[in-house]
Amino acid sequence: MADWLIDHAQPNLSDPVRYANGVAHWLAFFADERATGRLPGPPTVADINSALVERFHTWRARQGVSGHTIARDTAALRQPLNWAWKRNMIASAPFVPDVKHKAEPRDLVYSVEQVARLLEAAWSLEDRQHIHMFAMIMLSTNARVEAVLELDKDQQVRDGLIYFNAPGRQQTKKRRSIVPICPTLAPWLELYQGRAIQWQKRHLDRSTGEPWFEYLPADSIKTAFNKTLIAAGICHQAIDDEGSPIWLPPRHKLGETAPRPKLVGLGSPNTLRHTTSTEMHRRGVPEAQIETAAGHRGTGTNNRHYRHLRPEYLTQFVEGVEAFWSDVGKLTKVHLVNQRKPVVFDLAA
């Protein structure tokens, strides 16, 4: 796994951090297996079998993660084994089964009402406002999650366009697009410099006791996004591997006297991308424009390289996005607060 991360994932894959996280989950699982006596020592290739992998799937499901997340974690075991076998580092690669009952990735999208609640929940607390910015960009561009998290406005926003593929970064099979900035999003991109998605770390001034916030780039938003979904009521009660609801003990410091349900948000940051595609289809945006914004390959090299220079580039997509924001505006104005009253973050604080 270590060799694969260093020699293959880091230089070649679009999101090596995701696979590193998957490897970390496997290491924690192996430690748990050893603690319970199911593994006599450090794991070897010979220890990998379907029963062990299925125990890992159950172990991760108990943590409340989705089937697709478990499948990505499983790939962090399968791919290193196959990579090592192809390079004659091991004699054979054992079969690694995928997770069972994995839902289709595009089944879940958020309704306009859920988007409004999500934005309001994100804006309500300082330490969640980076989720608001993330949602604004995702829903206005149809971009990939990693591209939004890595977006540096100083280098990638110019002339009314967002260049999601950073200068000097090689395009991968998961292409990153060039998207016009829609009017609703434009004021948000002018708030501060540097990375678009920055979370606010809260500090207390020792002399005055007043809080102040340090702005730091967010490399992952899964936990904060899940908390925002729960705050917005877009969630369900987690269940164990036997299908029983999971309850948490009462928090006596908060005055609780009864167990509370363990809640898990519905969907993931990528659900916003599925939502954007769905909403654009509903509004009659041409399939070619939706696919172009999503970063999917067009036809012809010249089209791919120069179409963003045309005045009509993705105009119907932008119109569809603005129509979507108009519908959101019937339920909330939180996506417009920067237009009504400018908000400036002091990154030097």
Side-chain angles (χ1 to χ4, degrees), residues 27-347:
L27 295 179
F29 169 73
F30 289 144
D32 188 64
E33 289 283 285
R34 293 182 67 181
T36 56
R38 286 189 289 265
L39 274 179
T44 68
V45 174
D47 292 317
I48 307 302
N49 55 42
S50 295
L52 180 139
V53 175
E54 288 169 2
R55 288 201 301 272
F56 174 79
H57 293 165
T58 301
W59 181 79
R60 285 292 278 146
R62 286 174 178 168
Q63 299 170 4
V65 300
S66 69
H68 285 280
T69 298
I70 299 172
R72 290 195 295 269
D73 288 345
T74 304
L77 175 69
R78 182 188 298 112
Q79 293 190 29
L81 288 169
N82 291 336
W83 176 84
W85 170 66
K86 291 177 182 178
R87 283 156 183 77
N88 299 314
M89 298 167 66
I90 57 177
S92 62
F95 172 70
V96 176
D98 202 355
V99 63
K100 297 177 181 178
H101 311 303
K102 183 173 64 174
E104 289 299 317
R106 293 180 181 267
D107 277 355
L108 178 64
V109 297
Y110 298 133
S111 66
V112 173
E113 293 79 6
Q114 288 175 322
V115 168
R117 298 208 310 267
L118 175 69
L119 291 171
E120 288 182 342
W123 188 252
S124 65
L125 291 178
E126 286 87 352
D127 60 358
R128 287 203 297 252
Q129 288 184 357
H130 65 297
I131 301 299
H132 184 280
M133 176 70 86
F134 175 82
M136 289 295 303
I137 297 175
M138 289 288 293
L139 293 166
S140 298
T141 63
N142 207 21
R144 300 184 187 278
V145 170
E146 296 81 7
V148 175
L149 289 178
E150 296 172 8
L151 177 64
D152 187 317
K153 295 184 294 179
D154 297 342
Q155 299 183 37
Q156 297 172 247
V157 177
R158 61 184 183 274
D159 302 325
L161 298 170
I162 302 176
Y163 293 77
F164 279 110
N165 198 54
R169 179 187 178 275
Q170 185 177 0
Q171 285 278 20
T172 66
K173 288 186 291 186
K174 292 186 176 182
R175 297 182 63 82
R176 298 188 179 183
S177 57
I178 303 170
V179 181
I181 302 171
C182 72
T184 300
L185 177 63
W188 295 98
L189 297 180
E190 299 173 359
L191 286 181
Y192 48 83
Q193 296 177 329
R195 288 274 287 272
I197 311 303
Q198 300 187 42
W199 67 285
Q200 302 181 49
K201 183 177 181 180
R202 191 173 187 270
H203 298 275
L204 285 178
D205 188 296
R206 293 184 179 181
S207 59
T208 65
E210 294 294 322
W212 63 277
F213 295 91
E214 178 185 9
Y215 290 80
L216 301 169
D219 295 319
S220 175
I221 60 166
K222 290 181 180 179
T223 299
F225 191 82
N226 186 64
K227 289 181 178 179
T228 306
L229 288 172
I230 294 172
I234 309 170
C235 56
H236 63 91
Q237 185 172 1
I239 59 174
D240 59 25
D241 55 311
E242 296 179 352
S244 300
I246 299 176
W247 295 85
L248 299 175
R251 295 167 292 189
H252 299 296
K253 291 183 178 180
L254 299 180
E256 296 177 349
T257 59
R260 67 189 191 282
K262 179 180 180 180
L263 299 177
V264 179
L266 291 172
S268 68
N270 205 47
T271 306
L272 293 172
R273 179 170 156 96
H274 301 161
T275 299
T276 304
S277 292
T278 300
E279 290 294 335
M280 294 306 100
H281 280 110
R282 285 184 53 209
R283 287 163 172 76
V285 176
E287 179 75 21
Q289 293 200 21
I290 299 173
E291 294 293 290
T292 296
H296 299 161
R297 287 179 178 269
T299 56
T301 301
N302 287 338
N303 283 342
R304 292 200 304 270
H305 289 175
Y306 303 115
R307 58 191 170 193
H308 67 277
L309 299 176
R310 300 171 183 170
E312 72 278 10
Y313 178 65
L314 295 187
T315 53
Q316 290 168 281
F317 176 82
V318 172
E319 290 170 358
V321 168
E322 287 300 296
F324 168 75
W325 286 126
S326 176
D327 287 346
V328 172
K330 298 172 184 176
L331 302 170
T332 183
K333 302 301 180 185
V334 72
H335 61 302
L336 301 174
V337 293
N338 189 41
Q339 296 175 342
R340 292 188 289 111
K341 181 180 179 181
V343 178
V344 179
F345 297 155
D346 182 7
L347 297 184

